[in-house]
Amino acid sequence: MWVRNAWYVAAWDHEIAPGRIAARTIVDQPLVLYRTGAGEIVALEDRCCHRFAPLSLGRLEGDDLRCMYHGLKFAPDGRCIEIPGQPLIPRSACVRRYPARTVGSWVWVWMGDDAAAADPARIPSSVALDDPAYRLRAGQLDYAAHYLLIDDNLLDLSHLSFAHEKTLGLNMPQWADNRPTMTPIDRGLRVQRWLRNHAPSGFMKKLGERVDVWNSYDFIFPGVFLQRTVFFPPGTQDPTDTPLFYRVDEQAVTPMTERSSRYFYAAGARSGDLTDDRVDRLFDVTKAAFHEDKVIIEAQQKLIDLDPGRPMLPTSLDAGPTRFRKMVEAMVASGS
Ligand code: FES
Ligand SMILES: [Fe+2]
């Protein structure tokens, strides 16, 4: 059961280049995305109302999209405006238009039935990739897994000490030993913790022999992860003090089908904290870590599917995933 009344990340903004037609699937719905001449994103149902050919195999004609099976042409609002060989266009000749917005560098699409309920104010703000205050790199990854397994992973960073022992764990057993505080926020959780007395490695050694690390992220339905990992001199109490290093990670998990999800991610730091070369290295490590997640989560999904009714063993590590899943269950139950 999907939550339909929500904004979902459909693409990086740069993927919807002028003149390009992009096919996407979100919560089992086929979408076609393109950009008008004025730069506005159009998201339509990717299913021609005539005989259900995908419009993503069609042709852009100015701001309109023509189905290249029998030639019906659709305006950006989804109305059919031409039927070859038939002057009369019935009112029912249309495809659904989904509200779409770019916020930060993500293209968001509202998947709810009621377009009037699509409040752009509910889209979480994220840093644009070209924001001069930061140096960021971006990528994406497809998972053969249910999106909530990826959410579980992001809501329990204790796995950094094990799944990412040699990449993001960075010799920080505290990820597993330290329980974070969790505060409810709109459709999500804020997760925060201090990781004290950490010995930085690699190029972070220049920060000092020991540092205290403040890790804070907002996790918002369906899987938006907005994290700051901030390095301070040892003994720092206030995470708003001037930091030594300020890392940014912004990610979004989008359910495509029951067993496929797309994971959008950006990683970097304040522009003064890293050279381009260093941000490339940081990003390479991050990408390697995300492949570690993918391997373990896809394997986990296969084992779950072998025996779907089998109960898991709850531990204190599961507080975040458990709370978030309860929120999602409540959203599904309320018909969101
Ligand atoms: S299926 Fe699109 S025009 Fe026939
Ligand atoms: Fe991970």
Side-chain angles (χ1 to χ4, degrees):
M1 286 278 272
W2 299 118
V3 173
R4 302 290 301 277
N5 290 321
W7 291 96
Y8 288 85
V9 175
W12 287 105
D13 189 51
H14 57 255
E15 290 183 89
I16 315 299
R20 172 152 186 235
I21 300 170
R24 294 287 182 274
T25 300
I26 301 179
V27 296
D28 281 321
Q29 303 300 305
L31 302 178
V32 54
L33 285 96
Y34 65 94
R35 205 179 277 280
T36 64
E40 196 192 347
I41 298 275
V42 178
L44 301 175
E45 180 184 0
D46 191 15
R47 186 191 286 124
C48 176
C49 55
H50 175 224
R51 299 188 70 79
F52 301 164
L55 292 177
S56 54
L57 295 181
R59 175 169 82 196
L60 278 178
E61 296 183 5
D63 287 350
D64 306 322
L65 182 57
R66 188 183 293 279
C67 177
M68 290 303 279
Y69 197 0
H70 316 94
L72 269 69
K73 181 162 147 177
F74 297 88
D77 63 3
R79 267 180 318 113
C80 178
I81 52 173
E82 193 184 316
I83 301 179
Q86 178 179 315
L88 197 70
I89 301 174
R91 220 182 247 263
S92 57
C94 62
V95 293
R96 178 167 167 188
R97 182 183 190 173
Y98 293 82
R101 286 273 190 295
T102 296
V103 174
S105 290
W106 281 326
V107 173
W108 297 79
V109 175
W110 174 263
M111 297 306 296
D113 291 330
D114 180 8
D119 177 4
R122 294 197 82 173
I123 299 176
S125 39
S126 51
V127 177
L129 296 175
D130 60 358
D131 185 328
Y134 301 94
R135 241 182 266 272
L136 296 168
R137 300 288 181 268
Q140 59 185 287
L141 195 59
D142 282 356
Y143 272 77
H146 193 275
Y147 78 104
L148 285 174
L149 289 184
I150 310 168
D151 287 359
D152 291 346
N153 169 282
L154 293 167
L155 282 157
D156 172 16
L157 295 188
S158 71
H159 81 274
L160 266 72
S161 303
F162 302 99
H164 308 309
E165 190 187 14
K166 296 193 173 59
T167 51
L168 297 180
L170 299 172
N171 193 25
M172 288 169 105
Q174 304 99 314
W175 285 113
D177 295 342
N178 246 357
R179 306 304 336 128
T181 61
M182 274 174 241
T183 320
I185 55 175
D186 184 28
R187 289 188 158 199
L189 288 172
R190 176 163 297 160
V191 183
Q192 299 179 306
R193 74 181 101 193
W194 278 105
L195 300 151
R196 300 277 184 196
N197 202 31
H198 164 60
S201 56
F203 61 80
M204 303 290 274
K205 274 188 185 153
K206 71 171 180 357
L207 300 179
E209 257 175 47
R210 297 276 162 182
V211 290
D212 285 350
V213 181
W214 171 246
N215 178 260
S216 171
Y217 63 91
D218 285 357
F219 194 85
I220 302 152
F221 184 86
V224 183
F225 175 86
L226 305 169
Q227 176 179 250
R228 302 294 180 265
T229 309
V230 195
F231 292 66
F232 292 99
T236 302
Q237 297 303 320
D238 182 353
T240 63
D241 277 3
T242 306
L244 301 167
F245 185 86
Y246 189 99
R247 177 177 171 140
V248 174
D249 289 271
E250 301 205 326
Q251 303 163 17
V253 181
T254 297
M256 297 193 287
T257 67
E258 282 287 334
R259 289 293 175 269
S260 64
S261 309
R262 186 155 292 177
Y263 184 47
F264 300 90
Y265 56 87
R270 286 188 314 192
S271 41
D273 289 353
L274 277 183
T275 58
D276 268 327
D277 191 43
R278 291 261 154 98
V279 80
D280 286 341
R281 277 173 60 194
L282 176 146
F283 190 64
D284 284 346
V285 173
T286 305
K287 263 197 305 195
F290 293 163
H291 281 277
E292 292 167 340
D293 284 319
K294 178 176 157 77
V295 167
I296 210 157
I297 290 171
E298 289 183 342
Q300 179 196 21
Q301 179 73 73
K302 281 189 188 151
L303 289 177
I304 290 170
D305 290 344
L306 273 183
D307 192 357
R310 190 152 168 163
M312 296 182 180
L313 174 77
T315 70
S316 63
L317 302 171
D318 309 322
T322 304
R323 284 176 72 166
F324 188 75
R325 279 178 178 255
K326 282 206 175 116
M327 273 184 206
V328 175
E329 276 164 27
M331 286 164 78
V332 170
S334 71
S336 286

